[in-house]
Every structure is written in C-alpha cells, then in structure tokens.
Amino acid sequence: MKKVSIQDIAKSLQVSKSTVSLVLNGRGDEKRIRKETQQKILDFAKEQNYSPNHLARGLSRGKSETIGLIVPNISDNFYARIAKRIETKAIHHGYNVVFGSADEDPKREAQLIDIMLNRQIDGLIIASTQQNQKEIKQLKNKEFPFVLIDRHYPDIETTYVIVENSNGIKTTVNHLLKKGRRNIGFVTLESGLEAMEQRLKGYKTAMLEAGVEVNPNWIQKLDYQDYAVQMEPAIQSLTSEQDEVDAIIFATHYLTLSGIRELRKANISIPKQVAVASFDGLDGFDLIDPPVTAISQPVDQMGDTAVELLLKKLDNHTDELIQMELPLDFVIRKSCGE
Amino acid sequence: MKKVSIQDIAKSLQVSKSTVSLVLNGRGDEKRIRKETQQKILDFAKEQNYSPNHLARGLSRGKSETIGLIVPNISDNFYARIAKRIETKAIHHGYNVVFGSADEDPKREAQLIDIMLNRQIDGLIIASTQQNQKEIKQLKNKEFPFVLIDRHYPDIETTYVIVENSNGIKTTVNHLLKKGRRNIGFVTLESGLEAMEQRLKGYKTAMLEAGVEVNPNWIQKLDYQDYAVQMEPAIQSLTSEQDEVDAIIFATHYLTLSGIRELRKANISIPKQVAVASFDGLDGFDLIDPPVTAISQPVDQMGDTAVELLLKKLDNHTDELIQMELPLDFVIRKSCGE
DNA sequence: TTGAAAGCGGTACCAA
DNA sequence: TTGGTACCGCTTTCAA
C-alpha cells in the first residue's frame, strides 16, 4: 500500500505532472484545464486517496504553512493552555503548528529554534527562557517572522504579547493593604526573567507608594529547579519572629501551591496569620482551603493575539514591530481575608 | 543573509556536493575523505553557519527523525505531562517530536494523522479520541509504526500502553467499602472511550463482589463538552433522598473538581456525608478541603514506555504487537474519611 | 489546454 | 579520495 504520488497519477491517467499538480491545487479553472480532465484527475486522486507530501511541497515552495511554537515547559498549565489556544487559532487560519517544550533550558530552546527553522516553518511564536539573546537577534536580523509571547527581551526590539506584570502585582499589593496587611512578603524565582523583574518591581513600587518600608528579607527568590525544597526555609524566614509577614504574594501558580503546603506544615493559618495571593491561577484554586485569590492571565487573548500578529507578518511581509501588554484580571477569594 | 546550502559550500570550496554531504554527515572518515578537505569543509560550514534543510533531507532519505504525538487535549494536565515526558525521552534518542492537540474531535484527529504522515514523520504516538477506527486500521495495514497511549481500540490489535483502569477503580471502591460506605456513586463521561468503560466495569465488578446492589441512578454519565453544566443535576440526583449516596468516585480529575464544587454548593460535607475519590490526580489535590484521595497515573512510565516501544519498531522494523497495561498508584487522603 | 523541464536541498550509488 | 548524477515529490515557468 504505497503512497501515490503526482507522478503515479500522471502516468496512470496519461497526463503530465504539471496538469495533475495544477488541478489538485485547485488551479485548474484558472489555467483552463478541460473540465473532464480535471474531473478525471480529481476522481482518481480521491480513489487512490492521494495526499500530498508536505516535505516535497515545502521544499519546492520554500514555505510550509506551518508555524512553530516554543514554550519553556508544556506541562505548565499556563503554557499548555496557551499552546492549545494557539493551535486552534492557527488551524482555523490554515496553518499547522508544531511545538516544542524547552524544559526551561536555553540550550534546548536554541536547538528547537534551529530545528524549526531547518524544517522551513513560516513563522515562530516563542515563550522564551529569555537567555537566548543571540538567537533572537539572529532571527530579527534575518527578518524571520516571529513573535514573543509571555516573556520578552527588554533589550531587543521585537513584536511581543505580554501581560501587565507590574500592574497586576500592584493591584494585589493594594488589595492586601486595604485588608490591613502591611508586612507583605514576595516569593518569586531567581531567574532573570523580565516578567519576574516586573512583578517584583510592581511589588516594590506599590509598597513604596503606600509608604511601607520593605524589609529585604520579605523578598525571597527561589531557584526554578529547586523551588519545592527551598520553599520551606523561605517560609520559615518570612514567618520568623524578626521578619514576621502578615501576607505573601507568590509570583507563579506553582510557587503558590508549594507555599501553601509549607504554611500548613508550619501550622500557620491562612488568611488569619498570613494572607496569600497568587500571580496566575489554576483550576481548583477555588477549592483550596481557603480559596486562593489570584491574578488571572488572559490566556486566550494572548494566544489569539500572538497568532494574529504573526499572521499579519506572514501575509503582509511587514516587519513592523508591535508590542502588546494585556491587562490582567484579579480574582478575589478568601485567602486574603474577608 | 540567505541560508547556505550544500551546493554553495561545494561551489565555494571547489569540491563536489557529495563530498560536502558526506563530511557534514560525519561520514568523512568512513569514506576516507582527506583530513584537510574535511577540515576545510567543516570550517567553512561553521563559518557560514550552515544548517541542513530537514525538508530536503527528509524528502531524500524518506525519513525525518521525527515522531508525531497526537493528544486529545494538550491543555489537560494529564496529556501535557505525558507530552513533556515523551518529548524529553525522544530528544534523548535523537528524535524530534511534533505534536498536535485534537480537541477531542475525531475529525481533527484524523486530519492531524494525515498531516503528520504527509510530513513524513517516522512514527506516531496517539492518545486517540477512539473514534477513528478507519484511520487506525489504515495505519496498521500500511504497517506504519505507531503506538497508542492511554486509550486504545479494543477491536483493533495494536501496540499500546494503557493503565489498569478497571483495577484502579476496584481498589478505590474497596477502599470506600472498608470505610463503611456502601452507596457509592460513579460519575463518568458519556464517551464510548474504552478507558471509561473499563473504569465503569471496575466499579460494577467491585460492587458486585462486595454484594452491594448498584442502584442505576448511582451511575451518572456526563457529556465531555458540557460536564460542568450537567454536574449540578447529577450531584442533585446522587444526593437526593431516594438515591442518597455516601460516596462518589469521579472518573477524571476535572470531573472531580467540578463535582466538589457542586457538592459544596449543595452544602454537602465531604467526607462526612459524601466521600469523594478521583481517578487521576492534579497538583493541588492535597490542598483542597478536604485533600482528595486519588488514583495516580504513572505518567512518566507511560511516556517512556510509549517512546521505547515506538523506537523499537523503528529500529528493528518489527511489527510485533505489544500491549502494556501499567498498574496504578492509589493516594489516600482525607476525602474518603479518616 | 496541456506538457516538458528545471529546480528546491539533500542523499547515495557508481565511476573515476 | 573525490566527482558526477539520478532521484526524492512537488511547483512553476515557458513552450507547444
């Protein structure tokens, strides 16, 4: 049961490859191929269930109707949701998506970019580890169409879609202040990610504006690879007598889960002793005891926008740079007090 | 900044395409190409940062060192975790992974299979919607290397990796019985998925073996697309006076979340009035009030095994069919009582 | 209205 | 030790 090629069809039907190709690409009428010839080809193709070899087509056309998506970690709910949305949207516009998960590893990410380019994808959407300056710059220099999502490089002018990280945290801090909390801790990642920097900045700014002096110990930075282990001492420090916070903001959903676990272990009641808020939510946050107040990200909008911006580049061959910073929702639950 | 091809290198260096190709593929020594020629080529390639066009190579070799992965829904935590594991494992063996999310839509899935084949992937791992008998049979007839994961077609003999669905639920039922619950409800999907059938079967068998007569109303089947809405009446029915269950097993993690939500709305205390157990867990189940007892799936093992089986097929060109049914873990928390 | 042929970027076989 | 060349499957231009 070998695959039939355009050759095979041409031979069987005693017509030329080109004719077959044209008809099968719906350009029969345009090229005034006789109706019956067209029909004959179409029928035969269906009967043999012909389907084109994309490699060959891509090679020949120099494009592949495929966009690549690179995320840091596909098993992170946030990126999984984005990936799904992007795929749906892209399909809808006739593009296919191949994606790769970089495992938060810059090398792997660079490798993925390389692989995808070699596969002649037409464009790229990247949620970057943000440690591949060189590669991103190369993409830009080559004028290869790409858009960054969720994470961008502050030092490189590119098209990107991110969220208002700083504002999101500010809102949260203000909410906590309104609830009477002053000693607000902030648990984030030691990562160099601009998004994390912005969240931290939001925290500092809001505290400053409120006239609360931030005790440096209130800010805890954990390693991505090891946060679950480092969470325990972090929580201990935050809740120790000298630093005693009455609220903690976690910079990601998984930090939040981990943090709550440690707070419980330490028998610290939420929100009575320590209020908790999370950047980014998770299905089930409403069921945790207590339900967790969270900044919710506009995942669908991010995905849609990224695809739209990329398609615009592909269609118009424009290299106009567009930066979008989407607003965040704030979902108030009980973890910050009534 | 155009991409350099093997042609370009050959021309610049006054050697032939074949020589360049051989050297660049590390077969220079084998073919006894002079060291200095090799060096020359290698250097030049590096300098121009040559990288091969995978489309061309794939077209020529008839294979692409890529495996395809199709899941029903990449935003489902379970499949996201599998996807990640599969990718990591595949990379490690020199294969790349392209994946697609079928959105639980059989048509989309068939389309994805088609697209992937057209792209000359070497093999396929599918967590199927289980509604594409024809396509799967075709793959089998073509002797195209593929392995099914998580969901298989009971009527088609294929290689697959699934879990002991029935046993998993049996364990759960027995656990509940031991806790003194007898009126155990079962909330699942109206899906025709073999996995769901097996879970249901496990439930029925365990109840039968325990001598508990199952009230048909205890079994609630919801539509995948609409489960959140249908959960309310389902819970109402299960907890109504005439059917009154004292425990509910949910057949997926999202059904569990949704179910707990409705139980709370109805002011039914867990586990006092109704115990709850879940097939498949979710990060955060330990933090829910009360922490949810769950059957936990061996995700990593599933992913690894699937890749191994596929690679075996690819390497040995064997079409031996292997069926693996992996055992499940049972994580006891408080939602089934102390 | 259709066909022939070149070319996309590689691979691999056969000669030299 | 290297080069020439056919071929992978499809697109596209130019002629017929």
Side-chain angles (χ1 to χ4, degrees):
Chain A
M1 198 171 174
K2 220 193 132 283
K3 281 197 57 165
V4 287
S5 71
I6 267 189
Q7 277 282 25
D8 302 333
I9 300 185
K11 208 171 295 171
S12 303
L13 261 35
Q14 313 259 44
V15 295
S16 81
K17 268 169 66 175
S18 11
T19 310
V20 178
S21 171
L22 289 173
V23 172
L24 259 21
N25 282 301
R27 300 176 51 195
D29 287 341
E30 169 196 337
K31 289 289 184 173
R32 304 147 178 269
I33 310 267
R34 207 190 301 142
K35 279 287 174 214
E36 45 193 282
T37 312
Q38 293 203 38
Q39 209 38 252
K40 194 170 64 174
I41 294 174
L42 256 14
D43 290 347
F44 190 79
K46 193 145 300 161
E47 182 198 321
Q48 302 283 318
N49 66 62
Y50 165 80
S51 69
N53 179 324
H54 267 73
L55 295 193
R57 175 180 286 174
L59 180 57
S60 175
R61 287 218 273 233
K63 62 193 298 280
S64 58
E65 259 109 46
T66 302
I67 68 185
L69 169 62
I70 298 176
V71 297
N73 179 358
I74 191 60
S75 76
D76 180 325
N77 183 261
F78 173 68
Y79 295 112
R81 280 154 65 213
I82 287 206
K84 181 175 177 197
R85 185 68 177 202
I86 286 181
E87 210 207 8
T88 307
K89 180 94 178 175
I91 294 294
H92 185 249
H93 287 274
Y95 279 84
N96 280 106
V97 178
V98 306
F99 43 105
S101 177
D103 236 345
E104 292 285 2
D105 173 1
K107 289 215 192 66
R108 172 74 189 128
E109 178 177 288
Q111 197 192 352
L112 278 172
I113 294 179
D114 213 46
I115 290 170
M116 296 214 167
L117 293 186
N118 296 163
R119 278 168 206 278
Q120 312 301 106
I121 52 163
D122 299 335
L124 204 42
I125 298 177
I126 312 178
S128 175
T129 58
Q130 217 187 303
Q131 313 239 82
N132 277 318
Q133 293 265 355
K134 210 183 84 206
E135 282 69 18
I136 301 294
K137 272 198 187 133
Q138 268 179 13
L139 288 179
K140 192 180 161 180
N141 290 337
K142 272 193 243 185
E143 297 189 12
F144 185 84
F146 73 103
V147 351
L148 299 183
I149 187 166
D150 180 53
R151 303 166 167 192
H152 75 297
Y153 287 72
D155 299 338
I156 313 181
E157 259 211 83
T158 65
T159 291
Y160 61 73
V161 186
I162 59 172
V163 294
E164 293 180 343
N165 287 293
S166 176
N167 272 341
I169 294 290
K170 271 194 193 170
T171 310
T172 313
V173 171
N174 290 332
H175 176 72
L176 286 165
L177 290 166
K178 220 176 298 164
K179 295 286 182 188
R181 315 278 169 155
R182 311 266 306 166
N183 298 3
I184 304 176
F186 190 74
V187 177
T188 181
L189 294 175
E190 181 71 84
S191 67
L193 290 174
E194 177 64 11
M196 294 300 157
E197 290 308 315
Q198 288 300 321
R199 292 174 199 176
L200 182 56
K201 193 180 131 205
Y203 164 78
K204 286 179 175 165
T205 312
M207 294 292 268
L208 187 68
E209 284 173 5
V212 185
E213 199 185 338
V214 173
N215 175 335
N217 287 336
W218 290 352
I219 299 173
Q220 295 282 334
K221 298 188 175 185
L222 314 186
D223 290 331
Y224 174 73
Q225 301 296 347
D226 211 30
Y227 71 87
V229 174
Q230 294 174 11
M231 187 60 80
E232 186 177 351
I235 293 295
Q236 267 171 12
S237 163
L238 286 168
T239 55
S240 66
E241 278 183 38
Q242 59 270 44
D243 299 329
E244 209 170 15
V245 300
D246 53 16
I248 303 177
I249 300 174
F250 295 95
T252 75
H253 61 74
Y254 47 89
L255 287 176
T256 304
L257 289 182
S258 174
I260 294 179
R261 262 176 215 125
E262 295 302 334
L263 285 168
R264 290 218 189 149
K265 269 195 218 154
N267 272 316
I268 292 164
S269 104
I270 311 170
K272 197 150 170 272
Q273 292 172 267
V274 173
V276 163
S278 173
F279 193 102
D280 195 22
L282 216 46
D283 205 14
F285 264 21
D286 57 325
L287 301 178
I288 290 179
D289 176 30
V292 181
T293 292
I295 298 162
S296 127
Q297 307 208 55
V299 173
D300 290 350
Q301 203 191 338
M302 290 176 82
D304 287 351
T305 309
V307 174
E308 277 157 16
L309 291 179
L310 185 59
L311 292 184
K312 202 166 155 195
K313 279 180 197 294
L314 295 179
D315 294 344
N316 309 346
H317 285 281
T318 162
D319 46 347
E320 179 190 9
L321 300 180
I322 301 177
Q323 279 95 32
M324 307 266 289
E325 208 165 336
L326 306 178
L328 294 158
D329 264 353
F330 189 54
V331 182
I332 299 176
R333 299 204 185 88
K334 301 196 175 161
S335 65
C336 296
E338 296 295 330
Chain B
M1 196 173 174
K2 221 193 131 285
K3 281 195 57 163
V4 287
S5 71
I6 268 189
Q7 280 281 26
D8 302 333
I9 300 184
K11 208 171 296 170
S12 304
L13 260 36
Q14 314 259 46
V15 294
S16 79
K17 265 170 72 174
S18 11
T19 309
V20 178
S21 172
L22 288 173
V23 172
L24 257 22
N25 281 300
R27 299 176 51 196
D29 287 340
E30 171 195 338
K31 289 289 184 174
R32 301 147 179 272
I33 309 270
R34 208 191 300 143
K35 280 285 173 213
E36 45 192 283
T37 312
Q38 294 203 38
Q39 210 37 254
K40 193 170 65 175
I41 294 175
L42 257 13
D43 289 347
F44 190 78
K46 193 145 300 162
E47 181 198 323
Q48 302 283 317
N49 65 63
Y50 165 81
S51 69
N53 179 326
H54 268 72
L55 296 192
R57 172 181 287 175
L59 180 57
S60 174
R61 286 218 276 232
K63 61 193 298 283
S64 59
E65 260 109 47
T66 302
I67 68 185
L69 168 63
I70 299 176
V71 296
N73 179 358
I74 191 62
S75 76
D76 180 327
N77 182 261
F78 172 67
Y79 295 111
R81 278 155 65 212
I82 287 207
K84 183 177 174 195
R85 185 68 178 203
I86 286 180
E87 211 208 5
T88 307
K89 180 93 179 178
I91 295 293
H92 185 248
H93 287 274
Y95 279 84
N96 280 106
V97 179
V98 305
F99 44 106
S101 176
D103 236 345
E104 291 286 359
D105 174 0
K107 289 216 193 64
R108 173 75 190 126
E109 177 177 288
Q111 196 193 352
L112 278 173
I113 294 179
D114 213 45
I115 290 170
M116 296 211 168
L117 292 187
N118 296 163
R119 276 167 207 278
Q120 312 303 105
I121 52 163
D122 299 335
L124 204 44
I125 297 177
I126 313 178
S128 175
T129 58
Q130 218 187 303
Q131 315 239 81
N132 277 319
Q133 293 263 356
K134 210 184 85 206
E135 283 68 17
I136 301 294
K137 272 198 187 130
Q138 269 179 14
L139 288 179
K140 193 183 161 177
N141 290 337
K142 271 192 245 183
E143 299 190 8
F144 185 85
F146 72 103
V147 352
L148 299 183
I149 186 167
D150 181 52
R151 303 166 168 193
H152 75 297
Y153 287 73
D155 300 337
I156 313 181
E157 261 213 82
T158 66
T159 291
Y160 61 73
V161 185
I162 59 173
V163 294
E164 293 180 342
N165 286 292
S166 175
N167 273 341
I169 294 291
K170 271 194 193 170
T171 309
T172 313
V173 171
N174 291 333
H175 176 72
L176 286 165
L177 290 166
K178 220 175 295 163
K179 295 285 182 188
R181 315 280 169 155
R182 311 268 304 170
N183 298 3
I184 304 174
F186 190 74
V187 177
T188 181
L189 294 175
E190 181 72 87
S191 68
L193 290 174
E194 177 64 10
M196 293 301 157
E197 291 307 317
Q198 289 300 321
R199 291 174 200 177
L200 183 55
K201 193 180 131 206
Y203 165 77
K204 286 179 175 164
T205 311
M207 294 294 268
L208 187 68
E209 285 173 5
V212 185
E213 199 186 337
V214 173
N215 175 336
N217 287 337
W218 289 353
I219 300 172
Q220 295 282 335
K221 297 188 174 184
L222 314 186
D223 291 331
Y224 174 72
Q225 301 295 346
D226 211 30
Y227 72 85
V229 174
Q230 294 172 12
M231 188 60 82
E232 186 176 351
I235 294 294
Q236 267 171 13
S237 164
L238 286 168
T239 55
S240 66
E241 279 182 36
Q242 59 270 44
D243 300 328
E244 208 169 17
V245 301
D246 53 16
I248 303 178
I249 300 173
F250 295 94
T252 75
H253 61 73
Y254 46 89
L255 288 175
T256 304
L257 289 182
S258 175
I260 294 178
R261 262 178 216 123
E262 294 304 333
L263 285 167
R264 290 217 189 151
K265 269 195 216 154
N267 272 315
I268 291 164
S269 102
I270 310 170
K272 197 149 171 273
Q273 292 171 266
V274 174
V276 162
S278 173
F279 193 102
D280 195 23
L282 216 47
D283 205 13
F285 264 22
D286 58 325
L287 300 178
I288 290 179
D289 177 30
V292 180
T293 292
I295 298 162
S296 126
Q297 306 209 56
V299 172
D300 289 350
Q301 205 191 338
M302 290 177 82
D304 286 350
T305 310
V307 174
E308 278 158 17
L309 291 179
L310 186 59
L311 292 185
K312 202 166 155 193
K313 279 182 197 294
L314 295 179
D315 293 344
N316 308 347
H317 285 280
T318 163
D319 44 348
E320 179 190 8
L321 300 179
I322 302 177
Q323 278 95 33
M324 306 267 289
E325 207 166 336
L326 306 178
L328 294 157
D329 263 353
F330 189 55
V331 182
I332 298 176
R333 298 203 186 89
K334 299 197 175 162
S335 66
C336 296
E338 295 297 331

